[in-house]
Amino acid sequence: MSAVKLLTVSEDEGEMRLDRWFKRRFPHVTQGAVEKLCRTGQVRVDGARAKASDRVGPGMVARVPPLPENDAPSRPRPDGVSAADAKMIEDCVIYRDNDIIVLNKPAGLPSQGGSGQGDRHVDGLTEALKFGYKERPKLVHRLDKDTSGVLVLARTDRAARGLSESFRHRGTRKIYWAVVAGVPHPRQGSIKYALMKAGGHGRGGEGEKMVCIHPAKIADYPDAKRAHTDYFTLWFLGNRLSWMALEPLTGRTHQLRAHMAELGHPILGDGKYGGSSSENLGDGWGAGVGGLSRKLHLHARRLGFQHPVTKEFMTFTAPLPEHMARTWELLDWKEGDVPEDPFEKIR
């Protein structure tokens, strides 16, 4: 562990959010850990408590508490989860009580194992999230591997049944943030294309994806499943990129990615559905823009659901992953400048 440090924000660092300044100085410390250090008052700016989202500028002095060394050995635990993975998944926790655990799932970490997903996934790391319980928490819904954001786990069988029922009967509110190519017209609307799985290639079905079916033709495709996404354009950059709020009213595989691509505005970094090209011809296809990350820009920003035991309606918001936070900073988009729930007035 390092000692307490008093560090001055330099002129060349300019003004930036505290968490991003912290990550620039200490890249081995996770976003969740930075937020916890701020929340518990261990990180201070000019002697005062500060939030991870606060801005720091040249000349300000930040107090940084003792931190784990970057090259600390990762010793195996009795449950088979490495110390590094245990710390990573614990740092993802944004809420827990006797019944549920809420995570901010990192981009690139699968929700569970499966074809091509490898051995490292949320479900396999829940051994590190028992927090004194005998049984490990259970997944009740999933996010795609490259999608980050709010993911809820059930700590008991009773909670799992209640949450599963809530998700199954659409007793939840899900809002995703995404960056897409071009600007949708109209800027607010609904997409109701059905989705159907199209086979991939190779022995393992590599390249398998969802295709959209026009609502008027659903009867011609017995395997097609109805899907409904509402969208709202929060901000846009000329005619090149848009910051979108997306609300899936159904829960189909790759629904948001396939729907936005069908609309002609694929999500930035989505190679499977057309958003990874470095060229933008003005028709929405090809979302690459110089200086922006090639990772998928899709984040489960907000999740609201009825607590399975107390029956209180709870809403959780997850901070942006690092690659999307850098995009927001580069484009000078401010999270506080847009409504957290732009669909509220039409519900």
Side-chain angles (χ1 to χ4, degrees):
M1 300 287 283
S2 60
V4 171
K5 295 183 176 71
L6 295 177
L7 303 177
T8 302
V9 181
S10 63
E11 289 289 341
D12 60 0
E13 287 173 321
E15 292 193 2
M16 64 177 69
R17 283 172 50 125
L18 174 59
D19 54 357
R20 292 170 197 164
W21 174 86
F22 199 102
K23 289 284 289 180
R24 177 173 291 188
R25 292 288 190 107
F26 306 99
H28 66 287
V29 180
T30 66
Q31 176 70 23
V34 175
E35 292 173 7
K36 184 175 182 180
L37 291 171
C38 293
R39 191 169 59 248
T40 56
Q42 297 181 68
V43 172
R44 293 175 177 259
V45 177
D46 287 345
R49 294 176 73 109
K51 296 184 294 186
S53 59
D54 287 350
R55 295 260 163 182
V56 296
M60 292 185 174
V61 177
R63 176 195 184 274
V64 177
L67 301 172
E69 299 298 334
N70 190 17
D71 57 354
S74 179
R75 293 183 290 273
R77 294 158 39 112
D79 54 24
V81 179
S82 73
D85 279 346
K87 183 178 187 307
M88 180 276 295
I89 200 68
E90 288 169 4
D91 286 342
C92 292
V93 175
I94 55 179
Y95 175 84
R96 70 179 168 100
D97 60 25
N98 292 334
D99 307 291
I100 64 173
I101 294 175
V102 182
L103 305 177
N104 181 10
K105 186 189 83 65
L109 181 68
S111 295
Q112 63 181 160
S115 176
Q117 298 294 356
D119 298 327
R120 186 171 178 267
H121 45 78
V122 173
D123 193 39
L125 298 177
T126 53
E127 288 285 349
L129 298 176
K130 291 180 179 178
F131 298 114
Y133 280 34
K134 290 183 179 180
E135 300 295 327
R136 62 190 182 97
K138 305 168 182 63
L139 285 172
V140 294
H141 69 122
R142 294 160 184 78
L143 295 175
D144 289 348
K145 174 184 176 181
D146 294 320
T147 302
S148 57
V150 185
L151 184 70
V152 61
L153 308 173
R155 302 190 71 187
T156 65
D157 289 339
R158 178 186 179 188
R161 288 192 297 270
L163 287 170
S164 295
E165 183 177 353
S166 181
F167 276 85
R168 186 166 54 250
H169 293 97
R170 303 181 191 175
T172 59
R173 291 290 313 282
K174 303 175 186 177
I175 297 177
Y176 289 70
W177 278 0
V179 180
V180 306
V183 182
H185 294 286
R187 292 179 185 165
Q188 176 182 349
S190 295
I191 309 167
K192 296 184 179 180
Y193 280 87
L195 293 171
M196 183 176 70
K197 187 176 295 185
H201 57 275
R203 188 175 299 177
E206 295 83 0
E208 185 177 81
K209 61 190 295 186
M210 307 301 289
V211 295
C212 290
I213 307 297
H214 193 281
K217 298 182 179 180
I218 293 178
D220 298 333
Y221 297 90
D223 294 332
K225 296 182 179 180
R226 295 184 182 274
H228 182 174
T229 299
D230 284 347
Y231 69 88
F232 190 101
T233 307
L234 296 169
W235 212 263
F236 54 90
L237 177 68
N239 63 355
R240 301 201 68 188
L241 292 173
S242 295
W243 170 7
M244 306 297 300
L246 307 173
E247 183 175 14
L249 300 182
T250 52
R252 309 303 183 196
T253 301
H254 295 176
Q255 176 176 319
L256 301 180
R257 298 163 63 183
H259 270 176
M260 292 311 298
E262 184 67 23
L263 201 64
H265 303 284
I267 296 173
L268 178 64
D270 190 352
K272 182 181 286 286
Y273 292 94
S276 63
S277 170
S278 61
E279 186 179 16
N280 188 331
L281 301 178
D283 60 356
W285 293 96
V289 175
L292 300 188
S293 171
R294 296 287 181 176
K295 293 182 178 179
L296 183 69
H297 281 57
L298 179 61
H299 177 67
R301 171 67 175 182
R302 186 177 172 93
L303 176 64
F305 58 91
Q306 187 181 63
H307 191 282
V309 176
T310 67
K311 304 306 178 184
E312 174 190 1
F313 194 85
M314 308 180 76
T315 301
F316 298 94
T317 301
L320 290 169
E322 186 175 354
H323 70 282
M324 290 181 67
R326 288 199 303 268
T327 295
W328 261 240
E329 186 172 8
L330 182 64
L331 300 180
D332 198 29
W333 287 346
K334 303 293 192 300
E335 298 173 27
D337 288 348
V338 301
E340 282 287 355
D341 186 356
F343 307 102
E344 187 174 18
K345 293 182 180 179
I346 64 175
R347 291 285 172 261

